[in-house]
């Protein structure tokens, strides 16, 4: 395995690259752009890279389905950390282009919902076509295939373009969450402000099936931070569920919730326990009475005394 190489969703100039460069370890790694999320993750699976940074969730558009589906299938991978990056777009054009000249625009599909209102107000006649990434859209503008691309302003220099308009976003404080993914290993120790990610598959579809899954978390006081259904490919109505839960697998409440899911689900894929980006212990939801590790230990000790006739 190349321990000195990180891959990311490329080409150069993507928001993913910008997010990756916020990690201290990125300064000592070879950063390799890949054409797609699957390609970036397969490089890790095949030992060509130590880790990959990929987008997984946007505060406007929701989950990045390519990443969710890739983590749910294929050889297992694990999330080791996350990065939150504020997102604002620039309209990148070839030098000399005026706003009235823009008839075709491009960008990543996740970008479109974040600039839809701006487009409607400023370029109502422009035709949108999606690109593999925002930076790839900038490259296509450089090649003359489109008039403009929505991308990070920092991509202008890389592709010889200029930012005709900056700070474009329909929603204030828009963010994208990225995850650093590697091959499975022992999770890092709890920090007190952690997140645990899993994908679960129902054993069968019946009334209350989803409620039964969620009760494994609720009964143990585990707060959910994301719940998203994804089709399994086995036909209409067949879904798996991507879940982010507050806490670490080493926390008794989280570990026992996962054991409960393992008992009743067809499959559970553990995607990792890792620090929440920008969070401290003060940001963690207050524990409900009876859900601390000490409470679980005391209950376990009481059960042992009952079994020994010492209750």
């Amino acid at each position: 395995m190349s321990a000195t190489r990180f891959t990311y969703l490329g080409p150069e100039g993507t928001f993913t690259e910008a997010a990756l460069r916020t990690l201290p370890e990125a300064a000592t790694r070879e950063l390799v752009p890949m054409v797609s999320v699957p390609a970036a993750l397969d490089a890790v699976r095949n030992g060509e890279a130590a880790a990959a940074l990929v987008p997984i969730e946007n505060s406007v558009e929701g989950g990045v389905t390519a990443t969710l589906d890739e983590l749910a299938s294929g050889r297992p991978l694990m999330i080791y950390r996350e990065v939150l990056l504020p997102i604002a777009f620039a309209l990148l054009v070839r030098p000399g282009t005026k706003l009235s000249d823009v008839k075709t625009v491009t960008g990543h599909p996740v970008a479109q919902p974040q600039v839809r209102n701006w487009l409607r107000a400023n370029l109502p006649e422009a035709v949108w076509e999606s690109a593999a990434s925002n930076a790839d859209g900038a490259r296509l503008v450089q090649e003359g295939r489109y008039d403009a691309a929505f991308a990070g302003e920092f991509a202008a220099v890389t592709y010889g373009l200029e930012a005709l308009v900056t700070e474009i976003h329909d929603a204030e404080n828009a963010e994208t969450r990225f995850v650093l993914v590697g091959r499975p290993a022992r999770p890092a120790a709890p920090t007190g402000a952690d997140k645990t990610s899993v994908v679960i598959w129902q054993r069968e579809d019946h009334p209350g099936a989803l409620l039964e899954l969620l009760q494994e978390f609720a009964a143990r006081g585990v707060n959910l931070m994301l719940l998203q259904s994804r089709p399994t490919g086995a036909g209409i109505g067949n879904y798996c569920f991507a879940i982010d839960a507050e806490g670490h697998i080493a926390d008794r409440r989280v570990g026992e919730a996962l054991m409960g899911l393992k008992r009743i689900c067809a499959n559970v894929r553990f995607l990792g326990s890792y620090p929440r980006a920008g969070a401290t212990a003060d940001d963690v939801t207050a524990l409900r009475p009876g859900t601390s590790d000490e409470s679980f230990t005391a209950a376990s000790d009481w059960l042992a005394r009952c079994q020994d006739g010492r209750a």
Side-chain angles (χ1 to χ4, degrees):
M1 177 186 295
S2 177
T4 62
R5 181 178 298 148
F6 283 176
T7 57
Y8 66 91
L9 175 61
E12 295 180 7
T14 59
F15 286 109
T16 311
E17 181 188 12
L20 179 56
R21 291 188 181 277
T22 67
L23 299 179
E25 56 264 49
T28 60
R29 303 294 195 277
E30 177 189 3
L31 308 184
V32 182
M34 306 297 285
V35 297
S36 65
V37 168
L41 296 179
D42 279 344
V44 179
R45 289 186 173 110
N46 298 333
E48 300 165 12
L53 194 82
V54 291
I56 194 168
E57 183 185 4
N58 177 265
S59 61
V60 175
E61 184 66 358
V64 178
T65 56
T67 300
L68 292 171
D69 292 347
E70 190 66 23
L71 291 177
S73 61
R75 281 177 285 164
L77 294 168
M78 267 183 56
I79 299 170
Y80 287 92
R81 62 187 305 174
E82 64 178 10
V83 177
L84 293 178
L85 187 73
I87 301 295
F89 294 92
L91 189 70
L92 303 187
V93 299
R94 292 182 294 278
T97 302
K98 297 178 294 185
L99 195 62
S100 59
D101 298 327
V102 177
K103 307 301 181 186
T104 57
V105 296
T106 188
H108 192 275
V110 174
Q112 188 179 19
Q114 301 178 67
V115 299
R116 184 183 293 123
N117 293 337
W118 188 93
L119 266 175
R120 186 182 300 117
N122 296 275
L123 293 170
E125 304 300 323
V127 177
W128 170 283
E129 291 191 26
S130 293
S133 68
N134 296 312
D136 194 53
R139 178 184 63 81
L140 295 173
V141 171
Q142 179 190 49
E143 294 175 356
R145 294 176 58 181
Y146 299 98
D147 297 325
F150 287 99
E153 185 177 358
F154 47 79
V157 173
T158 302
Y159 295 98
L161 304 176
E162 61 183 30
L164 188 61
V165 185
T166 60
E167 292 298 316
I168 299 172
H169 44 67
D170 290 350
E172 293 290 338
N173 304 316
E175 291 181 311
T176 294
R177 181 167 71 101
F178 302 84
V179 288
L180 187 68
V181 179
R183 299 176 81 172
R186 189 180 186 87
T191 66
D194 300 291
K195 182 182 293 184
T196 293
S197 298
V198 294
V199 180
I200 59 178
W201 285 259
Q202 292 175 295
R203 192 178 302 278
E204 60 180 18
D205 187 23
H206 61 269
L210 179 57
L211 177 61
E212 290 174 3
L213 304 182
L214 299 181
Q215 283 178 330
E216 295 294 333
F217 294 104
R220 297 170 176 86
V222 178
N223 186 43
L224 297 189
M225 309 182 75
L226 178 143
L227 171 64
Q228 181 159 339
S229 62
R230 293 297 303 151
T232 64
I236 296 294
N238 288 280
Y239 295 92
C240 61
F241 298 91
I243 293 175
D244 287 346
E246 197 173 44
H248 193 282
I249 193 173
D251 298 332
R252 288 287 295 271
R253 64 189 183 281
V254 176
E256 293 206 11
L258 297 186
M259 285 194 293
L261 291 172
K262 185 63 177 176
R263 287 188 295 102
I264 65 175
C265 290
N267 189 27
V268 178
R269 175 170 283 198
F270 174 64
L271 295 181
S273 290
Y274 47 94
R276 288 172 52 190
T280 67
D282 292 336
D283 301 310
V284 175
T285 303
L287 294 182
R288 289 168 49 199
T291 63
S292 67
D293 279 7
E294 293 76 14
S295 296
F296 277 95
T297 299
S300 179
D301 290 344
W302 172 82
L303 180 63
R305 292 197 303 273
C306 288
Q307 291 169 334
D308 291 342
R310 298 181 290 110

